[in-house]
Amino acid sequence: MSASVSPPPVGVWLIGARGSVATTAVAGCAAMTAGLHPPVGLVTETPLFAGTGLPPLSSLVFGGHDTVDCPLPKRAEALAAEGVLPYGLPTAVEAELAAADREIRPGGPAPGDTRDEEELIAAFAADITDFVRRRGLARVVVVNVASTEPAAAGRALPPSSLYAAAALRTGCPYVNFTPSTGLHHPALADPAAASGLPYAGRDGKTGQTLLRSVLGPMFAQRALGVRAWSGTNLLGGGDGAALADPAAAAAKNAGKERVLADTLGTPPEGEVHIDDVPALGDWKTAWDHVAFDGFLGTRMVLQTIWQGCDSALAAPLVLDLARLTARAHETGRSGPLTELGFYFKDPVGDGPSALAEQYEALAGFARRLRRTGPEPEPRPAGPSPAGERPSEHRPPVGERPVSGPPRDGRPVGEPGARG
């Protein structure tokens, strides 16, 4: 590609597009593109990903769904008042925030919404397709950054799965940055496999679990016996309110527990508690207490305190994942992107839980992208490598023939099918 030719725009469709994480990601992308702030926290901006053909930050176009109506510029002002965004940044990138806000469509189901599952999926898919066509996008990555929902029960699709089904229908790769069900619903297994799309998730690893994925292997490698590992999270904001629901908190804690079980070989005693403290807003404190045995049974304790801003920790990961997934889609990858487990508490597919091993897998992904080059040559006719299919054979985004999850033996959308 000539240096004088602008790269094609790539869409990032955010579920929960007016929330703190989404607002911070949009504002941060605009700030970095304008040279107002360096790309701190973006692994995709490190030398590891030089020459891998990722879409530049300047090519990203944002839109999404949300059930709230507070405009992004106003939301950014509130975040700046809380110290989440730098003072003056909302004014500096107001045009970019307003442009993204114009691309946000009403989500659902809202209270009193009488639409059935098929009608909701069709409406969400139509919004994404309209975004693609109006903005002339090469592709769109759908990223769920909405508040955590309780684990799904029964056959009904929860909201996160309705949006995931819409992504499949429109031929868009999907990233679940939350512990919500999303593509994990059994009804979406066959449509996801048939779509030929790449997907990644779930539950972004930003704080306490990030630290656990480093410390857990340390204890195992030094042959130290962990007797108990307990933790507490204090957080406010929308996520704090959502996680006050015990069912939502249980979904969140599942990933935290998996990391310890995988890295230590067996789950230790102890639990994680999540407390909603509204006064903390977007800031959170995570405390861990690790009781372990050393040589000759000497009993010892490690305590850690992680204090951070949830949105500032999550936003660069969202941008990384959007770029990496878009590039995976461009090069013909399909199915779970296990190499992106580095970013998640509960990664899809089989892969390690230790951060160092996950980073090595991510580095391998970067090497493969680098060999592919920024403009991959069409593959010759014939079978493709396992887990990949030629991108030149993929129907245009927004026109994928995916019908949606099955219902009573019929795909959603077939006459008579109802949720």
Side-chain angles (χ1 to χ4, degrees):
M1 182 179 289
S2 168
S4 62
V5 178
S6 298
V10 171
V12 182
W13 190 262
L14 300 165
I15 309 305
R18 291 191 172 112
S20 297
V21 173
T23 305
T24 304
V26 174
C29 185
M32 291 182 290
T33 298
L36 301 177
H37 287 271
V40 175
L42 268 75
V43 179
T44 53
E45 286 295 300
T46 64
L48 175 65
F49 282 95
T52 57
L54 298 181
L57 292 170
S58 59
S59 73
L60 301 184
V61 180
F62 296 93
H65 283 114
D66 209 319
T67 56
V68 301
D69 56 8
C70 177
L72 283 181
K74 289 291 184 184
R75 182 67 179 137
E77 289 175 6
L79 291 175
E82 295 175 16
V84 177
L85 295 178
Y87 176 78
L89 182 63
T91 300
V93 298
E94 184 176 8
E96 290 86 348
L97 289 167
D101 192 70
R102 288 193 293 271
E103 300 294 350
I104 299 175
R105 300 295 178 262
D113 198 328
T114 59
R115 291 175 293 178
D116 63 20
E117 288 181 355
E118 163 55 22
E119 291 170 327
L120 287 162
I121 294 170
F124 299 156
D127 290 336
I128 298 171
T129 299
D130 179 62
F131 179 58
V132 172
R133 291 175 175 165
R134 284 188 300 99
R135 302 303 299 265
L137 303 175
R139 67 198 76 253
V140 172
V141 179
V142 176
V143 185
N144 181 16
V145 290
S147 295
T148 301
E149 67 188 17
R155 300 178 62 185
L157 296 183
S160 64
S161 297
L162 296 173
Y163 292 117
L168 295 179
R169 185 169 298 190
T170 52
C172 297
Y174 174 81
V175 176
N176 190 358
F177 199 74
T178 81
S180 300
T181 304
L183 278 183
H184 275 64
H185 197 284
L188 296 183
D190 288 343
S195 72
L197 295 166
Y199 54 89
R202 62 184 171 168
D203 201 4
K205 185 165 55 186
T206 59
Q208 184 180 44
T209 310
L210 178 67
L211 194 58
R212 288 179 168 208
S213 68
V214 175
L215 293 177
M218 177 196 74
F219 284 106
Q221 291 161 3
R222 292 299 296 268
L224 297 170
V226 175
R227 292 183 291 108
W229 198 315
S230 301
T232 295
N233 280 262
L234 308 177
L235 69 162
D239 216 24
L243 293 173
D245 179 347
K252 184 79 171 178
N253 285 336
K256 296 176 182 287
E257 294 166 357
R258 172 182 168 176
V259 168
L260 293 182
D262 287 354
T263 57
L264 297 175
T266 182
E269 293 181 7
E271 297 179 349
V272 176
H273 298 275
I274 300 177
D275 294 333
D276 177 26
V277 185
L280 292 179
D282 207 55
W283 300 81
K284 66 180 181 183
T285 296
W287 170 74
D288 271 16
H289 182 281
V290 187
F292 66 98
D293 291 337
F295 187 55
L296 303 179
T298 305
R299 294 198 163 189
M300 292 177 269
V301 168
L302 170 70
Q303 295 187 48
T304 65
I305 298 176
W306 178 286
Q307 293 179 306
C309 174
D310 204 34
S311 296
L313 291 165
L317 309 190
V318 170
L319 296 174
D320 274 353
L321 287 164
R323 300 173 79 192
L324 292 165
T325 307
R327 182 65 174 133
H329 185 238
E330 181 184 16
T331 58
R333 284 290 303 272
S334 65
L337 298 175
T338 57
E339 302 95 332
L340 303 189
F342 176 76
Y343 292 95
F344 298 104
K345 296 182 181 73
D346 190 17
V348 296
D350 295 325
S353 294
L355 191 69
E357 294 177 53
Q358 291 175 332
Y359 184 79
E360 284 304 312
L362 183 66
F365 186 53
R367 288 191 293 270
R368 287 189 290 278
L369 291 180
R370 197 174 296 112
R371 287 196 297 269
T372 303
E375 294 182 4
E377 294 293 327
R379 295 193 183 111
S384 300
E388 301 183 8
R389 61 180 58 187
S391 58
E392 64 269 20
H393 295 160
R394 179 174 286 121
V397 67
E399 300 178 9
R400 300 279 297 174
V402 177
S403 61
R407 277 289 177 270
D408 298 324
R410 296 183 295 263
V412 165
E414 186 173 327
R418 288 292 183 268

